[in-house]
Amino acid sequence: MRYFFGLGVAIALLLCLPRALRAQDLAPRAYVITPIHSNAVTLTYSFYDGSIDFNGALPVSDAKGKYSVPIFGYYHSFNLFGRSANIAAALPYGVGNFQGTLKGAGTQLYRSGLVDSVYRLSVNLKGGPAMPPREFVKWHQKVLLGASLKVIAPTGQYDPTKLINWGTNRWSFKPELGYSQRWGNWVVDGYAGVWFFTTNHDFWSRNSFFPGTRSQSQNPMGSFETHLSYDFTRRLWVSIDGNYWVGGTVSPGGVENPLTREKNSRLGGTAAIPISKHQSLKFSYSDGTYIQYGGNYQNVSVAWQYSWLGKPN
């Protein structure tokens, strides 16, 4: 009994933890451009609290999780063939407690460690030429079209002999198209992308239950996101945020489980507040509106950002 309980909860958490950090992101103004050689360092603290919905894939009930993720991020903009472009990188660290019940038996789990690092390259396609600061201050946004590629690298904590890991031991890629349009103080954003995943060839292997090795794969997953924001000043703004993602059926050991197909959405809000010439704070909150399979978490995030202009030395 304890073995099957531990197996059920562990598989569920393994599938839901990395997904919660990836698919549930809400990022307003991701395609709004900055002058070339803009730099920013961001320290973010995100707190998640909620349940895990299994959609009948596992006979586990009352599964809950409460975890925090501090994140260090860096942003730099540059000129790419005359268009505005930027790169961003983020290094998260996860600490959390989880619990669940199977046939009246319960258990609790604790994990801490590095989460997979995230990298993003974004390029403007229309409406945002590369501009130095003196030209940028005279420029007014109308319609922006952009494209990006987000990559999640397998740099997180991962032990193939254990089911619960913050890392995924695979690469993830999301090509995305983004749209942004301004009407006075209002800005509307919309993004559409697809997540692709490589195979984890060392999934829960080389232990007393599975002495050999086996794989875990995941189907592509569509991702859609929209935001409506309002500027009070150039750097003080608020937004209403929403997203929807679908697909991502998982195949542990080469056997596809259709009950793991996601069809989920979240709704939230964001506020950006300047506190000095170079510093600002960002507050955000989101909650699940419809969760078919996966983590149904409330999320509160606070970020401090320091930005400056100039080429890196």
Side-chain angles (χ1 to χ4, degrees), residues 20-27 48 150 195 225 243 245 266:
L21 299 178
R22 179 190 66 239
Q24 295 182 9
D25 283 346
L26 289 166
Y48 298 81
K150 181 178 286 188
W195 280 104
E225 192 171 336
N243 67 1
W245 64 100
R266 294 184 66 81

Side-chain angles (χ1 to χ4, degrees), residues 43-257:
L43 299 178
T44 304
Y45 176 83
S46 288
F47 177 75
Y48 298 81
D49 185 11
S51 61
I52 305 171
D53 298 327
F54 300 130
N55 194 32
L58 292 168
V60 180
S61 62
D62 197 31
K64 299 178 181 178
K66 186 178 294 186
Y67 60 96
S68 59
V69 184
I71 305 170
F72 173 81
Y74 174 72
Y75 168 96
H76 175 73
S77 64
F78 59 97
N79 182 336
L80 184 64
F81 302 111
R83 309 308 302 174
S84 174
N86 62 76
I87 56 172
L91 182 63
Y93 189 94
V95 180
N97 291 279
F98 309 90
Q99 62 185 40
T101 303
L102 174 66
K103 295 182 180 180
T107 193
Q108 293 185 346
L109 300 170
Y110 169 83
R111 286 292 184 271
S112 67
L114 285 173
V115 184
D116 291 341
S117 54
V118 183
Y119 308 89
R120 181 178 182 263
L121 169 66
S122 179
V123 181
N124 175 265
L125 303 177
K126 177 184 177 181
M131 293 176 285
R134 64 180 179 275
E135 295 180 13
F136 181 80
V137 296
K138 303 176 183 178
W139 173 79
H140 298 284
Q141 176 190 338
K142 294 182 180 179
V143 175
L144 299 177
L145 296 178
S148 68
L149 176 65
K150 181 178 286 188
V151 178
I152 299 180
T155 57
Q157 180 177 301
Y158 186 81
D159 183 347
T161 65
K162 298 179 180 179
L163 272 168
I164 303 299
N165 290 285
W166 283 108
T168 56
N169 194 40
R170 67 177 185 188
W171 291 84
S172 302
F173 305 90
K174 184 176 76 165
E176 183 180 76
L177 293 175
Y179 162 88
S180 179
Q181 184 167 0
R182 174 179 288 277
W183 290 279
N185 289 350
W186 294 93
V187 178
V188 173
D189 300 313
Y191 325 140
V194 181
W195 280 104
F196 297 94
F197 314 97
T198 62
T199 299
N200 177 359
H201 293 286
D202 201 4
F203 166 66
W204 199 35
S205 306
R206 292 178 279 125
N207 52 42
S208 58
F209 302 109
F210 296 95
T213 59
R214 59 178 187 161
S215 65
Q216 181 197 52
S217 60
Q218 185 174 0
N219 291 341
M221 181 166 57
S223 175
F224 307 92
E225 192 171 336
T226 185
H227 307 270
L228 175 64
S229 57
Y230 181 83
D231 283 346
F232 294 96
T233 67
R234 188 175 182 89
R235 297 170 59 205
L236 174 60
W237 54 268
V238 296
S239 69
I240 298 174
D241 316 311
N243 67 1
Y244 174 77
W245 64 100
V246 60
T249 304
V250 177
S251 300
V255 180
E256 182 174 306
N257 186 347

